[in-house]
Amino acid sequence: MMFHVEPMQEEHAELVCSWEYEPTYQIYGFLPWEHMKALEVEFGDPVIRESQYAVIMSEYGSVEGFAQFFPLAGVTRLGLGMNPALIGKGHGTAFVEAIVKEAIHRHPNDEIDLEVLTWNKRAVHVYQKAGFGITDTYERPTPTGTGEFHCMVYQPRR
């Protein structure tokens, strides 16, 4: 499957909020859309949605995921999520590669990194296949308590 990145519109944000992930992965779900909008958090804030968020579209025109391109000094930190209906079907590497390509397009001189919970072996494996390497492991708060994370940095293939 081929993927491309498009700006996130309000209807896309509402769709992403409706996705339900299986147990253990439900930590990746969002509040209901009406709450996100009312609180103006994450892509519920139209300014943040426009400047940092995008949707990942399939070649068939369906929304298959989202990405956040969070700006740090000299770094673009990725946040991303795949439509739960697509998870485990072998499309993860192409999905992540499309997001990396967009990050490079947006900020060509930035380092690209992401954080992933260490127990999420499936995601770690996909990120490694897409060119990321683990550079650090640490604990930080999550919505359900403290979690152990890997910081992974994109290492372009030469």
Side-chain angles (χ1 to χ4, degrees):
M1 186 178 292
M2 302 285 293
F3 298 99
H4 65 278
V5 178
E6 293 184 9
M8 180 183 273
Q9 305 300 323
E10 189 168 325
E11 62 270 15
H12 300 137
E14 185 173 5
L15 175 65
V16 169
C17 286
S18 73
W19 291 344
E20 294 184 19
Y21 294 90
E22 64 187 47
T24 38
Y25 296 98
Q26 75 270 17
I27 190 172
Y28 297 117
F30 287 99
L31 294 170
W33 174 238
E34 291 305 320
H35 291 107
M36 296 276 289
K37 267 185 18 178
L39 296 170
E40 294 186 330
V41 294
E42 299 293 343
F43 48 78
D45 178 326
V47 174
I48 294 174
R49 183 172 60 247
E50 184 178 324
S51 65
Q52 295 182 23
Y53 280 90
V55 289
I56 314 310
M57 306 292 289
S58 75
E59 59 200 278
Y60 310 109
S62 57
V63 176
E64 300 300 352
F66 71 90
Q68 181 183 22
F69 303 91
F70 188 81
L72 299 168
V75 176
T76 298
R77 171 146 303 155
L78 301 179
L80 57 117
M82 183 180 266
N83 181 334
L86 198 63
I87 291 172
K89 305 231 187 308
H91 302 297
T93 303
F95 180 84
V96 173
E97 287 171 345
I99 294 168
V100 168
K101 182 178 175 184
E102 178 67 15
I104 292 168
H105 173 76
R106 288 178 180 222
H107 301 285
N109 297 317
D110 277 7
E111 178 177 89
I112 301 168
D113 75 5
L114 55 79
E115 295 177 310
V116 59
L117 286 157
T118 57
W119 58 259
N120 193 345
K121 304 294 186 203
R122 180 170 61 190
V124 170
H125 178 71
V126 167
Y127 299 147
Q128 287 172 325
K129 283 179 60 176
F132 286 82
I134 297 169
T135 58
D136 196 9
T137 302
Y138 45 85
E139 290 186 350
R140 71 170 184 77
T142 74
T144 60
T146 301
E148 184 178 59
F149 287 81
H150 291 311
C151 180
M152 299 183 76
V153 174
Y154 179 67
Q155 301 160 340
R157 297 176 181 102
R158 305 212 186 255

